[in-house]
Amino acid sequence: MEDTIAAVATAYGEGGIGIVRISGEQALPILNRIFQPMRKNRIQGNPDIRFQPEGFGTTIGEPIVNRRLTYGHVIDWETSQVLDEVLAVYMKGPYTYTAEDVVEVNCHGSIVALRKVLALILKSGARLADPGEFTKRAFLNGRLDLTQAEAVIDLIRAKSDRSFDVALSQLDGKLSQTIQEIRSKLMDQLVSLTVNIDYPDEDIEEITYESLLNNLLVINDMIVKLIDSADTGRIIKEGFKVAIVGKPNVGKSSLMNALLKENRAIVTDIPGTTRDTIVEDMTIRNIPIKLIDTAGIHYTEDQVEKIGIEKSKESFNQADLILLILDGSQALSKEDEEIIQVVGQRKAMILLNKMDLGQVIEEEALREKLPQAVFIKAAVKDGQGIREIEEQVEELVFKGQVKQSGSTFITNVRQVELLRLAKSSLEDGIQMARLGEALEFIEIDVKRGFELLGEIIGETVSESIIDEVFSRFCLGK
Ligand code: GDP
Ligand code: ZN
């Protein structure tokens, strides 16, 4: 871990600037080797302020000052070739991203410039950083815990305001605080268990099964609450998947366009379109939504119709919500009935569209067929009903949960798994406390729960888990 690492920290591609980051003991010596600062001189008689390369090509120049951005050139010390015109900064540890000495060189954003500068830095004594290694060092140096490091990944990948906020609060240590709170309550129980087991004859407060049971139940509730937040957390992070279904001409494309007009996500996945379905990223009331238009349902021929229903079944199964559109100005057709069959007992929103043409569809009969569904009347063409759809989506995502901005959400599979294991361990302990089993047995379960929670924040985490977590980073983070 003593060696010095370097990588391009910004995204590859065209951009105004790109940053090469160096971290480790050799960061400053390497910068001094590759960087030629320039002094600002005013040329007499010339109204332009120009930068004059005073001492250019020699070792004379402005000295590097901690945390001050310095203008100059990166020069290959072997060939004396100027590689780029840059701004460089040296930040002395430990108050840096990695808690080590860090150098950042702001180059021009071209891949060519970045590659050349990086290559020179590697030639000058640094090693190419593994993906996520900067953040890993921040973790190993105690600057971030594991949930915070994971939050960095989420921040980088966030596609909506809300997922960004959740990651930011996790980076802030919100989740860690909640976990630590639960752990400290478990620690209290462990201490009193251990004392009672090891020093039964001493004059100590004797543990009662009743109080032990009560305390463990309270702690278990806290864990359950966190696990429950995982579903919402996943949706916040990955998007709420809505499948739009309905026979041809009912208004699916019109609805998709109406929703997209206001809500199209700023950042969209690159391959949004596959052969069979169209997926559009958008945010509705700050919730990331993946809108799936099943092309399979735009069928016309009988043969295609069969495939269409199979395809739509597939996307039904992936969807968090099915948005079924019916033409409200007409009676139900055989096609509608078939799709309704497929929807079955799934969570669904039924849009009775084209209400501007007058209602013919029999709503009562429909409600009986789809008792679990929410009904909305709409005229998509005129923008009617769009707001209600958005409201209902928000309602469904939060399922009556209070939308406190301060609440802790679990967004991470690793974290959920550990919470589930901790819960089951604790429940074993609770069961034994109920049965009045020996304290030694209960102690084992409580201890296990304590350790599992520790793994979430990285306190008892093994090397392999650390590697797994950090391998998910892109290079340079
Ligand atoms: P899709 O085949 O389900 O994607 O349906 P489209 O969105 O392509 O719409 C089919 C036709 O219905 C188009 O001519 C739309 O203009 C029309 N349409 C869509 N929504 C409404 C509506 O609310 N009222 C009326 N009168 N026509 C609509
Ligand atoms: Zn269409």
Side-chain angles (χ1 to χ4, degrees):
M1 230 204 80
E2 296 294 295
D3 58 349
T4 296
I5 54 173
V8 176
T10 44
Y12 273 108
E14 235 172 87
I17 59 163
I19 298 174
V20 184
R21 188 192 261 159
I22 313 172
S23 178
E25 270 174 19
Q26 290 300 306
L28 182 59
I30 290 173
L31 181 64
N32 275 323
R33 249 188 123 180
I34 65 161
F35 179 63
Q36 179 60 68
M38 294 211 284
R39 209 175 277 167
K40 191 167 58 175
N41 273 345
R42 202 178 170 119
I43 299 169
Q44 283 289 313
N46 188 334
D48 288 341
I49 294 170
R50 294 242 182 97
F51 291 103
Q52 274 296 299
E54 179 170 308
F56 180 75
T58 73
T59 52
I60 311 161
E62 222 173 309
I64 305 286
V65 179
N66 185 23
R67 282 166 203 280
R68 189 199 288 167
L69 214 51
T70 310
Y71 169 74
H73 285 107
V74 171
I75 298 169
D76 188 329
W77 40 264
E78 229 170 37
T79 62
S80 299
Q81 196 194 353
V82 177
L83 300 188
D84 198 6
E85 180 192 35
V86 303
L87 286 171
V89 63
Y90 158 66
M91 293 167 276
K92 192 171 165 44
Y95 301 109
T96 62
Y97 186 69
T98 55
E100 302 170 339
D101 287 358
V102 169
V103 160
E104 287 180 3
V105 184
N106 292 241
C107 305
H108 285 100
S110 93
I111 296 173
V112 180
L114 289 169
R115 283 217 182 111
K116 280 187 179 169
V117 172
L118 179 61
L120 178 63
I121 289 168
L122 299 180
K123 189 167 81 175
S124 308
R127 167 175 69 72
L128 183 65
D130 294 330
E133 196 172 4
F134 290 98
T135 310
K136 183 177 180 179
R137 287 192 174 191
F139 166 71
L140 292 173
N141 290 329
R143 221 193 48 76
L144 297 175
D145 72 26
L146 211 49
T147 67
Q148 290 174 314
E150 284 169 326
V152 174
I153 310 181
D154 290 346
L155 270 183
I156 292 166
R157 298 191 176 155
K159 286 199 173 65
S160 72
D161 287 359
R162 207 186 273 267
S163 55
F164 191 86
D165 288 348
V166 168
L168 201 58
S169 93
Q170 189 166 316
L171 181 60
D172 222 33
K174 272 244 170 58
L175 176 60
S176 315
Q177 271 171 33
T178 311
I179 301 280
Q180 290 290 25
E181 218 175 285
I182 300 173
R183 284 184 99 215
S184 99
K185 285 191 194 299
L186 275 177
M187 185 47 97
D188 291 345
Q189 298 311 304
L190 263 182
V191 168
S192 97
L193 277 165
T194 308
V195 167
N196 274 275
I197 292 164
D198 293 347
Y199 309 98
D201 305 325
E202 300 288 313
D203 185 20
I204 46 148
E205 195 185 333
E206 212 173 293
I207 202 165
T208 69
Y209 280 98
E210 197 192 350
S211 73
L212 178 63
L213 187 61
N214 280 338
N215 291 332
L216 291 182
L217 283 170
V218 167
I219 297 167
N220 200 44
D221 265 2
M222 294 174 80
I223 297 177
V224 168
K225 233 167 103 191
L226 267 185
I227 294 174
D228 285 347
S229 80
D231 210 24
T232 310
R234 175 191 65 77
I235 286 168
I236 289 172
K237 193 169 130 186
E238 291 173 11
F240 187 66
K241 298 195 192 90
V242 181
I244 299 187
V245 301
K247 68 178 180 188
N249 261 334
V250 289
K252 294 185 297 298
S253 304
S254 307
L255 174 68
M256 195 118 168
N257 292 335
L259 286 172
L260 281 170
K261 202 162 75 187
E262 284 177 26
N263 302 306
R264 191 186 284 276
I266 300 160
V267 187
T268 55
D269 278 341
I270 306 145
T273 316
T274 68
R275 197 146 29 90
D276 301 314
T277 52
I278 299 167
V279 180
E280 292 279 3
D281 281 302
M282 64 170 90
T283 54
I284 289 179
R285 307 204 169 183
N286 258 333
I287 302 159
I289 305 281
K290 277 196 184 306
L291 204 60
I292 308 160
D293 183 8
T294 50
I297 308 183
H298 292 236
Y299 50 72
T300 42
E301 306 291 327
D302 277 11
Q303 188 54 32
V304 187
E305 178 173 332
K306 290 275 183 305
I307 304 168
I309 291 202
E310 282 314 305
K311 275 282 166 227
S312 50
K313 272 184 186 162
E314 267 172 43
S315 53
F316 280 13
N317 291 334
Q318 290 171 16
D320 294 305
L321 169 72
I322 291 162
L323 188 52
L324 166 61
I325 309 188
L326 298 168
D327 184 343
S329 71
Q330 292 181 6
L332 274 189
S333 70
K334 215 183 119 231
E335 276 174 292
D336 292 325
E337 298 274 10
E338 276 179 39
I339 299 172
I340 287 169
Q341 286 262 309
V342 183
V343 173
Q345 298 302 309
R346 299 288 314 271
K347 196 191 282 175
M349 207 184 282
I350 313 297
L351 203 67
L352 303 181
N353 194 29
K354 306 199 187 183
M355 292 308 268
D356 54 312
L357 300 178
Q359 178 170 353
V360 172
I361 206 164
E362 284 180 49
E363 202 178 326
E364 278 315 304
L366 252 181
R367 282 182 190 269
E368 272 169 36
K369 287 192 177 98
L370 296 157
Q372 81 293 351
V374 178
F375 283 75
I376 295 174
K377 294 183 188 178
V380 169
K381 205 183 65 174
D382 308 327
Q384 254 187 62
I386 303 293
R387 241 193 63 194
E388 221 182 320
I389 296 173
E390 294 173 355
E391 268 168 25
Q392 286 295 337
V393 165
E394 186 182 30
E395 182 80 23
L396 280 168
V397 169
F398 290 99
K399 283 180 255 152
Q401 285 181 29
V402 215
K403 281 170 275 172
Q404 301 155 296
S405 55
S407 40
T408 321
F409 290 114
I410 297 283
T411 55
N412 180 298
V413 182
R414 186 189 70 87
Q415 295 165 0
V416 184
E417 274 316 301
L418 287 166
L419 281 169
R420 291 221 170 94
L421 289 172
K423 172 175 167 264
S424 106
S425 188
L426 220 59
E427 280 170 353
D428 287 349
I430 287 168
Q431 186 57 18
M432 285 201 263
R434 275 210 178 96
L435 297 172
E437 299 273 2
L439 295 181
E440 281 88 342
F441 292 140
I442 302 173
E443 187 197 24
I444 291 171
D445 289 322
V446 174
K447 201 168 180 180
R448 177 99 184 100
F450 181 81
E451 282 170 357
L452 286 162
L453 292 178
E455 264 188 53
I456 295 177
I457 49 178
E459 278 197 7
T460 44
V461 92
S462 70
E463 192 76 28
S464 59
I465 298 171
I466 295 173
D467 288 343
E468 169 61 30
V469 167
F470 289 100
S471 68
R472 288 167 49 214
F473 276 87
C474 344
L475 212 65
K477 305 302 177 311

